């Protein structure tokens, strides 16, 4: 992969329209941003030109991450680039680290809330479904038949998924003790359909065991 990398920073590959060829630091930053965040949007803060470069040089990024066992994809509709982690086979990387039980339930609930928003036509033109921490807690109670994490822990888990590009947190209402949330299209990347099926089956069996 060194040859294609060098071709990009030397300007042998045409740069994005109206932009100069990226420097070595720019390209490395884009690669690292995807590895760290997994789901990157055009407006993700603190990533410089990472979104623009990854989208423009998609063939290079696709080949590079394929060497690491990831599928690199671009969603022009959602202005989103992301790494899809294959669900089969043993993995030893950070994106595939095993989630704790409460983290798994929160991720499941975020995906369910997002799917309901799509079904009920409550999705914005940016592909966002709005809800609150109360909605997530209620979804854990009803769908997973489990007690949700207490507020501080729930906020910490949501911030974890926010760093991965799945959700944005608004300003907490101190009086109501609720935080508005924006569930982003990247939730479907972090909780793919095959994973959802497994977790819902596990949650159902765990709930049956409690009754």
């Amino acid at each position: 992969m060194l040859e294609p990398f060098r071709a990009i920073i030397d300007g042998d590959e045409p740069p994005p329209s109206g932009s100069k060829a990226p420097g070595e630091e720019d390209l490395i930053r884009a690669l690292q941003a995807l590895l760290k965040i997994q789901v990157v949007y055009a407006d993700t803060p603190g990533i410089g030109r990472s979104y623009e470069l990854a989208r423009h040089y998609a063939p290079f990024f696709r080949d590079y991450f394929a060497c690491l066992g990831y599928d690199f994809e671009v969603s022009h509709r959602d202005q989103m680039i992301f790494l899809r982690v294959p669900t089969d086979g043993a993995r030893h990387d950070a994106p595939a680290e095993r989630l704790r039980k409460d983290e798994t339930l929160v991720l499941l609930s975020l995906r369910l809330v997002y799917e309901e928003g799509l079904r009920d036509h409550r999705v914005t033109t940016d592909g966002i479904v709005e809800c609150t921490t109360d909605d997530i807690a209620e979804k854990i109670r009803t769908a997973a038949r489990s007690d949700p994490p207490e507020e501080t822990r729930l906020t910490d888990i949501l911030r974890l998924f926010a760093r991965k590009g799945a959700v944005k947190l608004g300003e907490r209402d101190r009086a109501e003790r609720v935080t508005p949330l924006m569930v982003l299209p990247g939730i479907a990347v972090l909780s793919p359909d095959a994973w959802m099926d497994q977790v819902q089956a596990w949650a159902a069996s765990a709930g049956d065991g409690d009754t």
Side-chain angles (χ1 to χ4, degrees):
M1 297 307 297
L2 291 178
E3 213 172 288
F5 181 93
R6 182 58 58 184
I8 291 173
I9 63 176
D10 286 347
D12 297 337
E13 293 287 339
S17 179
S19 301
K20 63 179 181 179
E24 182 174 333
E25 184 176 336
D26 294 323
L27 205 52
I28 290 174
R29 183 181 193 177
L31 293 166
Q32 291 178 342
L34 271 161
L35 277 173
K36 179 181 180 181
I37 304 174
Q38 192 175 345
V39 181
V40 171
Y41 302 89
D43 61 353
T44 297
I47 61 169
R49 299 174 63 193
S50 296
Y51 172 81
E52 173 196 21
L53 296 178
R55 188 180 65 171
H56 182 74
Y57 297 112
F60 164 74
F61 278 78
R62 190 171 293 114
D63 291 345
Y64 177 89
F65 286 112
C67 294
L68 302 179
Y70 302 111
D71 294 326
F72 169 80
E73 299 184 33
V74 178
S75 174
H76 296 285
R77 181 194 63 188
D78 298 316
Q79 297 189 63
M80 176 178 78
I81 56 176
F82 58 92
L83 299 180
R84 194 180 296 281
V85 181
T87 55
D88 56 340
R91 304 198 61 84
H92 311 283
D93 48 353
E97 285 180 354
R98 189 178 183 86
L99 296 175
R100 297 179 179 178
K101 177 182 177 181
D102 55 358
E103 294 168 346
T104 299
L105 293 177
V106 171
L107 186 59
L108 170 66
S109 299
L110 286 169
R111 176 66 191 274
L112 292 175
V113 165
Y114 190 79
E115 293 300 323
E116 287 182 0
L118 291 176
R119 184 193 65 205
D120 298 338
H121 307 290
R122 291 185 291 103
V123 61
T124 71
T125 54
D126 295 325
I128 294 170
V129 171
E130 297 181 351
C131 65
T132 69
T133 45
D134 277 357
D135 295 323
I136 299 303
E138 182 60 24
K139 187 61 65 180
I140 292 174
R141 293 189 189 96
T142 57
R145 288 178 284 179
S146 182
D147 291 330
E150 52 87 22
E151 184 186 8
T152 301
R153 173 60 180 160
L154 176 57
T155 302
D156 286 342
I157 295 172
L158 289 168
R159 285 175 178 156
L160 165 67
F161 295 132
R163 291 193 293 271
K164 293 292 184 181
V167 64
K168 287 183 179 179
L169 282 71
E171 191 69 28
R172 178 177 181 268
D173 186 319
R174 295 180 180 274
E176 299 293 332
R177 298 184 64 183
V178 65
T179 301
L181 304 172
M182 291 183 288
V183 189
L184 308 177
I187 186 64
V189 177
L190 299 185
S191 56
D193 292 342
W195 178 88
M196 285 283 291
D197 292 341
Q198 293 172 1
V199 173
Q200 286 180 298
W202 163 76
S205 63
D208 292 340
D210 292 338
T211 58

